Amino acid sequence: MPSLDFTLPHWAYWVGLIAFPLIAMTLAKRPRPKVNRYSNGLGYFILVTGGMLGLHRFYVKNLLGLAFIPVFLVILYANAQGQDARSVVSDAANVVRTAERTLERERERVQTAEADLPALREALAAAEDESFAKRRAERDVERAEERLANGRALIEKAETELSTALPAAEAARTELARWSTIARYAFYLLLAAMAVDAVLMPGMIRKANDNLPDHVEETEAERALRELEEAERKEDADYVSRGWTGWLDRISLYSGEFVAYWAVIAVFVYYFEVVSRYVFGSPTNWAHEAMYLMFGMQYLIAGAYAMLTESHVRVDIFYAPLTRRKKGWTDLFTSIFFFIFAFTLLFTSYKFALDANAVATGNSLVSEWARGNIGFFEMLGSWNMGQWTDPNTRWGEISFNEWEVPLWPMKWVMVIGGLTLVLQGISKLAQDIRAIREG
């Protein structure tokens, strides 16, 4: 089975986190057609991402997609059997290496002991009875004989293990090659079928669209779902306040919507990880780290959105029955504790971000500024394109695994999350004061 050795470039990671939500937000705001139709773009996208399972055929309501599934299952089964054979090969190879080292070491010791033993026995026979030399010679002979017996036992054991492990390793290698061949040919068969379907895709899309009715009456369930979606969109917009605080609310609203689409990125990344691991036998060294860092940033950025839409957990047993003015007084009092937390988060995050840029390995202008070696305006005045293009320039802290993704941008996102939370807190404080004043 061919391997899939791909490591996500750092720049592609950040471009994806920024560009994908912008594109998704734009597409989500497009007006929906009255009759949904099949598209070539979506068909080819499904072909690339899920073609090995025949999902592109299911997209156009073609049951020939079922023919892809058994072939795909053959690949999974063959890879699983190959993995077992690979484990046997690895274990047998370890046994062989250990046995060969044992034979090399013990044979030399046994030869030395066999060569020394006659001289030790002669010294024992020549020693005077009950003397110190006699006792010492007896101990030397006993040790040599014991070393000789242990060495012969270890040699016999190693030879037995070697005679067993070598055929087992050879059989496992043969088994591994057989299952790898099966998986490889099954994969090539799927690739050939996908290549044929890539040519047939426009015709399948056209045929599927011809089978669609010109007009479809909206069912009760579809109308209820549409009304629910419209109500949810309207509900989020209703949280935006009037006046100058509305600008702060919109920052929280759009930032929350922006990072919400990162969850879709996770679906694609983990899908790639599963396919790479179980189909190609090439697990990635970046997927899990990329996603948990992404979800950590999402959690921080979405905090202001959760505060805007009142999504945080709150005990309403006393709060809910209050009038708007009394709620304003209550929120005004509890905002003291909120701003203690929010400003602590903001300033602590700022310190973490500076420390991430100030690590000893950082050699960029930002790192020099973070360490206090140059001033802020001196850093801006010394800026050049080499800071962006020179591969030897390191801006700060990086992760310790093989991917070595920079960690300092994530810590600056913590600052952004803390700042948006403070701004949303200011908006909420102003609205509470407005509610108290106006009733």
Side-chain angles (χ1 to χ4, degrees):
M1 189 69 185
S3 61
L4 189 64
D5 298 327
F6 171 75
T7 300
L8 183 70
H10 300 158
W11 64 264
Y13 177 61
W14 288 106
V15 169
L17 291 184
I18 296 172
F20 182 84
L22 294 176
I23 297 172
M25 291 168 68
T26 303
L27 295 177
K29 289 178 170 57
R30 292 189 309 170
R32 292 186 176 182
K34 294 182 179 180
V35 178
N36 291 324
R37 301 184 67 82
Y38 300 98
S39 68
N40 285 316
L42 184 55
Y44 280 112
F45 177 78
I46 298 175
L47 174 65
V48 172
T49 57
M52 287 189 293
L53 285 170
L55 298 183
H56 58 289
R57 287 272 181 174
F58 298 140
Y59 169 63
V60 293
K61 304 296 190 297
N62 190 315
L63 293 181
L64 284 178
L66 294 172
F68 287 75
I69 296 178
V71 183
F72 184 77
L73 292 178
V74 167
I75 295 176
L76 294 183
Y77 182 76
N79 283 339
Q81 297 300 315
Q83 184 66 34
D84 294 340
R86 189 176 291 108
S87 298
V88 174
V89 170
S90 178
D91 294 341
N94 289 332
V95 172
V96 169
R97 283 194 297 269
T98 302
E100 289 176 345
R101 286 197 297 267
T102 300
L103 289 174
E104 182 180 357
R105 181 182 66 250
E106 295 302 326
R107 282 172 177 168
E108 182 179 355
R109 291 180 178 178
V110 167
Q111 290 176 358
T112 302
E114 289 176 343
D116 294 343
L117 191 57
L120 294 175
R121 285 173 177 169
E122 289 179 3
L124 175 62
E128 185 178 349
D129 293 340
E130 303 298 331
S131 65
F132 176 77
K134 181 79 170 182
R135 290 194 297 271
R136 179 177 180 180
E138 288 175 348
R139 286 197 301 270
D140 291 342
V141 170
E142 289 176 358
R143 290 173 181 171
E145 291 176 344
E146 182 180 0
R147 186 163 58 249
L148 190 60
N150 290 338
R152 287 171 177 170
L154 289 173
I155 289 173
E156 182 180 359
K157 180 181 178 182
E159 288 176 343
T160 303
E161 291 177 346
L162 197 60
S163 63
T164 304
L166 284 174
E170 187 62 30
R173 289 190 184 95
T174 303
E175 188 77 359
L176 176 60
R178 183 167 69 89
W179 287 114
S180 297
T181 301
I182 293 174
R184 182 168 60 254
Y185 282 114
F187 175 68
Y188 290 155
L189 178 60
L190 284 182
L191 282 184
M194 291 170 61
V196 172
D197 282 352
V199 177
L200 300 178
M201 181 62 69
M204 291 190 292
I205 295 294
R206 186 167 54 252
K207 182 178 179 181
N209 284 327
D210 291 341
N211 293 331
L212 289 175
D214 295 333
H215 179 71
V216 179
E217 293 292 338
E218 189 177 36
T219 64
E220 291 291 334
E222 290 173 342
R223 184 170 66 254
L225 179 61
R226 177 177 54 79
E227 292 175 352
L228 179 61
E229 291 176 349
E230 292 176 354
E232 288 179 349
R233 286 196 296 270
K234 185 178 180 181
E235 183 181 357
D236 281 350
D238 283 344
Y239 283 107
V240 177
S241 60
R242 56 184 173 85
W244 63 271
T245 56
W247 292 100
L248 301 180
D249 293 342
R250 289 186 184 90
I251 293 175
S252 301
L253 185 65
Y254 293 142
S255 62
E257 182 183 359
F258 182 88
V259 299
Y261 288 103
W262 285 357
V264 182
I265 297 178
V267 174
F268 291 113
V269 171
Y270 282 123
Y271 173 78
F272 178 85
E273 165 67 15
V274 170
V275 171
S276 179
R277 179 183 295 270
Y278 293 104
V279 177
F280 295 94
S282 306
T284 67
N285 62 353
W286 54 268
H288 294 294
E289 182 179 22
M291 291 301 97
Y292 79 68
L293 290 173
M294 183 191 72
F295 281 127
M297 293 186 291
Q298 183 187 54
Y299 163 78
L300 289 164
I301 295 295
Y305 172 82
M307 183 178 180
L308 170 68
T309 56
E310 300 180 0
S311 300
H312 288 125
V313 176
R314 179 170 57 196
V315 180
D316 284 347
I317 186 172
F318 299 113
Y319 183 83
L322 298 178
T323 64
R324 181 66 188 94
R325 174 173 287 181
K326 291 181 179 180
K327 286 181 179 179
W329 281 111
T330 303
D331 292 339
L332 195 64
F333 173 73
T334 56
S335 65
I336 298 173
F337 305 100
F338 164 78
F339 280 111
I340 291 175
F341 163 76
F343 279 109
T344 301
L345 174 64
L346 178 59
F347 291 121
T348 304
S349 301
Y350 180 73
K351 185 177 184 301
F352 284 165
L354 277 184
D355 290 343
N357 282 121
V359 295
T361 55
N363 57 2
S364 67
L365 288 173
V366 175
S367 300
E368 292 294 325
W369 165 70
R371 286 193 290 267
N373 296 334
I374 59 175
F376 180 75
F377 293 103
E378 183 180 356
M379 175 193 69
L380 294 181
S382 303
W383 204 265
N384 56 69
M385 286 301 297
Q387 293 293 312
W388 299 99
T389 58
D390 189 352
N392 295 320
T393 300
R394 179 166 290 178
W395 288 41
E397 184 181 6
I398 62 173
S399 66
F400 293 101
N401 70 355
E402 296 178 3
W403 193 33
E404 294 187 342
V405 64
L407 295 179
W408 58 268
M410 288 76 174
K411 296 189 177 182
W412 281 105
V413 171
M414 292 173 61
V415 179
I416 297 174
L419 180 61
T420 55
L421 195 62
V422 168
L423 293 177
Q424 186 56 44
I426 293 173
S427 172
K428 183 68 170 62
L429 179 65
Q431 294 175 57
D432 292 335
I433 295 174
R434 185 184 301 160
I436 295 172
R437 185 178 68 248
E438 299 176 358

